[in-house]
């Protein structure tokens, strides 16, 4: 059986590292020492976020190891996308019930493949024995003063979302129904989400505010409205639905999944109506659709949706704010 340090050397350091040109730039000291030493780009501010993924809470324990590795990094990178940050580095802590070489090889493959795709360097981490969980801390850079936030919205702003909604919930239900082919669009949306990093960077200077839709559109819209002291009006009929969602869940179920399902990792933004066409065109060049779904308003609350749905969405502790 591999020791902790042999495991790190084999799967998370050295040849397993991202080899995309520039991915490791700024890493003065990487895996293998007590700390990573990083050199940020002059004139940039750091954006840092951490996300923990637990087996049977955030992903099925028997999901493909490659998908677990990909997903653990993707959900953390999505927070950088919402800030308009360029992803640079990550550190990862994993607890494992046992050392399974085949599983670790698959996990590392999925994790490092997304590192390469997003030009992110794994700069360090930790390995322990315990129930399967993965915590990823991501570091990004933003030109000074240009970070997007949740609280910058203004009354009259157009509300818009990237991509399509409901795929996270639809993919979970597909998995529970026995679907295992990762080329199924709903299952791929659930297990292999793609963080909208390029879209987030493109929206700097256009969007007033942004948030990633990880807890569900309504829950995260409520966060955005609360941060800005505003309300919103949604056009539910305009919601872009993931491919195959209506066929799996029906029209009503698909709309509820888009509103409350969570795990979509798309961006919800507000921006001036005069900037919407420019933003949509810019994201289209990245092959990322942008759809207007409503407006911010001065009156508190979210109008246009069934009141029974307003408190649905993902919360680890339902009694308080997520």
């Amino acid at each position: 059986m591999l020791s902790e340090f042999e495991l790190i050397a084999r799967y998370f350091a050295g040849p397993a590292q991202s080899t995309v040109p520039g991915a490791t730039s700024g890493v003065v000291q990487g895996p293998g020492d007590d700390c990573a030493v990083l050199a940020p780009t002059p004139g940039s501010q750091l954006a840092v976020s951490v996300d923990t993924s637990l087996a049977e809470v955030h992903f099925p324990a028997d999901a493909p190891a490659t998908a677990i590795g990909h997903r653990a990094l993707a959900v953390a990178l999505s927070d950088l996308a919402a800030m308009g940050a360029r992803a640079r580095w990550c550190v990862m802590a994993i607890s494992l019930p046992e050392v399974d070489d085949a599983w670790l090889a698959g996990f590392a493959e999925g994790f490092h493949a997304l590192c390469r795709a997003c030009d992110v360097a794994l700069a360090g981490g930790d390995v322990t024995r315990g129930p399967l969980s993965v915590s990823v801390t991501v570091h990004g850079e933003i030109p000074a003063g240009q970070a997007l936030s949740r609280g910058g919205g203004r009354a009259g702003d157009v509300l818009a979302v990237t991509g399509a909604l409901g795929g996270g919930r639809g993919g979970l239900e597909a998995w529970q129904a026995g679907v295992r082919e990762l080329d199924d669009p709903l299952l791929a949306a659930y297990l292999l989400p793609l963080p909208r990093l390029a879209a987030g960077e493109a929206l700097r200077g256009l969007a007033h505010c942004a948030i990633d839709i990880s807890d569900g559109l309504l829950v995260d819209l409520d966060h955005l409205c609360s941060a800005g002291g505003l309300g919103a009006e949604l056009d539910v009929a305009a919601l872009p639905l993931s491919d195959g969602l209506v066929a799996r869940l029906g029209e009503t179920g698909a709309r509820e999944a888009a509103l409350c399902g969570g795990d979509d990792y798309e961006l919800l933004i507000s921006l001036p109506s005069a900037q919407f066409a420019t933003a949509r065109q810019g994201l289209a060049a990245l092959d990322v659709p942008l759809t207007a779904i409503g407006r911010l308003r001065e009156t508190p609350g979210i109008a246009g949706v069934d009141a029974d749905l307003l408190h649905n969405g993902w919360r680890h502790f339902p009694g308080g704010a997520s």
Side-chain angles (χ1 to χ4, degrees):
M1 180 180 293
L2 294 177
S3 72
E4 171 190 350
F5 301 106
E6 291 170 330
L7 185 157
I8 291 170
R10 177 176 295 185
Y11 296 110
F12 302 117
Q17 276 276 41
S18 172
T19 57
V20 173
T24 57
S25 63
V27 180
V28 179
Q29 181 66 48
D33 220 313
D34 290 303
C35 291
V37 180
L38 308 174
T41 303
S44 293
Q45 295 174 321
L46 285 178
V48 181
S49 183
V50 63
D51 215 294
T52 297
S53 297
L54 301 173
E56 301 303 343
V57 176
H58 300 97
F59 60 86
D62 57 343
T66 52
I68 295 173
H70 172 108
R71 193 179 193 282
L73 177 58
V75 301
L77 290 174
S78 185
D79 287 327
L80 294 184
M83 301 295 291
R86 173 194 172 202
R88 294 295 310 277
W89 311 289
C90 66
V91 295
M92 185 266 293
I94 184 170
S95 67
L96 300 164
E98 61 183 357
V99 175
D100 180 329
D101 282 338
W103 190 94
L104 276 164
F107 176 91
E109 177 187 346
F111 193 95
H112 290 304
L114 189 59
C115 279
R116 290 190 293 271
C118 296
D119 206 12
V120 174
L122 176 62
D126 187 38
V127 176
T128 59
R129 182 187 294 273
L132 178 58
S133 71
V134 189
S135 291
V136 181
T137 300
V138 290
H139 307 73
E141 293 182 334
I142 310 168
Q146 295 186 30
L148 297 172
S149 71
R150 299 180 179 189
R154 303 172 190 175
D157 275 1
V158 174
L159 286 168
V161 292
T162 60
L165 305 180
R169 170 65 66 82
L172 174 60
E173 297 209 10
W175 178 271
Q176 292 171 339
V179 177
R180 295 294 182 267
E181 296 77 21
L182 290 178
D183 58 356
D184 178 275
L186 293 178
L187 194 58
Y190 171 53
L191 289 179
L192 298 171
L194 295 175
R196 298 300 193 182
L197 289 163
E201 290 190 67
L203 289 166
R204 289 197 312 250
L206 296 174
H208 282 153
C209 63
I211 188 172
D212 90 316
I213 312 170
S214 54
D215 295 330
L217 174 62
L218 289 181
V219 166
D220 288 315
L221 174 57
D222 183 61
H223 293 328
L224 188 148
C225 288
S226 295
L230 299 166
E233 182 163 357
L234 281 182
D235 179 1
V236 175
L239 297 180
L241 302 180
S242 293
D243 290 344
L245 191 63
V246 173
R248 175 158 292 277
L249 301 182
E251 187 71 35
T252 299
R255 296 290 176 193
E256 289 191 10
L259 288 166
C260 310
D263 267 341
D264 281 329
Y265 303 100
E266 298 291 348
L267 302 182
L268 169 65
I269 67 168
S270 87
L271 74 173
S273 57
Q275 297 281 27
F276 177 73
T278 300
R280 183 170 57 184
Q281 183 177 4
L283 266 59
L286 301 171
D287 200 27
V288 178
L290 184 68
T291 304
I293 60 168
R295 288 187 180 273
L296 290 178
R297 60 179 191 169
E298 292 183 358
T299 306
I302 300 174
V305 296
D306 188 329
D308 292 338
L309 297 176
L310 291 178
H311 301 292
N312 289 350
W314 178 255
R315 289 183 172 90
H316 285 280
F317 302 99
S322 63

